[in-house]
Amino acid sequence: MVGATLASDSADIPVGALVLSGDGEVLGTGVNRRTAEADPTAHAEVLAIRAAARLLGTWRLTDCTLAVTLEPCPMCAGAAQAARVRRVVFGAWNPDYGAAGSAFDLLRDPRLHHRVEVVGGVLEQECAAIVKDFFQDRR
């Protein structure tokens, strides 16, 4: 991942995110830093969206894709909605907290003004193994 690593010695859940332009250019990156920054909003997706918006000089990421290792939680799905990203691509499903089709489906909720294309399960086994290994090491 450009500009970010998923350090195994971090206390943060190893989730990484990228915001890509319509041409595939990396506009923003993020890794979970909730524990490191003592900030409950410092999820990988939020940090990547913030970085992309700063780079572009606008909060509207209408032609962008958010790619992330784990299905976004409700907060991160809300951030993707608010940023008007076109597509969210993720690896592992999150049946407990996922908001892109598992526990919730905020990204495609017909009651919301903007609907996001969702592509889940990309490199699912590899992404799930990263998260699974993290929790196994801590038990």
Side-chain angles (χ1 to χ4, degrees):
M1 177 175 294
V2 176
T5 61
L6 297 177
S8 60
D9 60 347
S10 171
D12 286 290
I13 299 171
V15 175
L18 299 170
V19 174
L20 304 164
S21 72
D23 297 331
E25 176 187 356
V26 176
L27 302 174
T29 65
V31 296
N32 273 352
R33 299 203 32 86
R34 186 175 58 174
T35 301
E37 295 184 11
D39 178 353
T41 69
H43 288 205
E45 300 93 327
V46 171
L47 298 176
I49 288 169
R50 287 176 184 165
R54 274 193 305 272
L55 180 70
L56 295 175
T58 180
W59 60 269
R60 291 181 181 270
L61 305 179
T62 56
D63 193 34
C64 294
T65 296
L66 173 64
V68 62
T69 54
L70 185 65
E71 180 182 7
C73 72
M75 177 185 69
C76 294
Q81 277 277 350
R84 306 293 195 266
V85 299
R86 174 176 288 176
R87 177 181 311 107
V88 171
V89 177
F90 63 89
W93 294 89
N94 184 353
D96 295 327
Y97 302 107
S102 288
F104 311 97
D105 198 354
L106 297 177
L107 293 173
R108 297 175 288 199
D109 191 315
R111 296 169 293 181
L112 299 176
H113 174 71
H114 178 72
R115 281 176 228 38
V116 178
E117 177 187 348
V118 174
V119 180
V122 176
L123 298 173
E124 181 175 3
Q125 292 177 343
E126 295 87 342
C127 293
I130 292 168
V131 176
K132 181 181 174 188
D133 291 348
F134 171 82
F135 285 110
Q136 278 185 332
D137 290 347
R138 279 150 182 78
R139 291 190 177 128

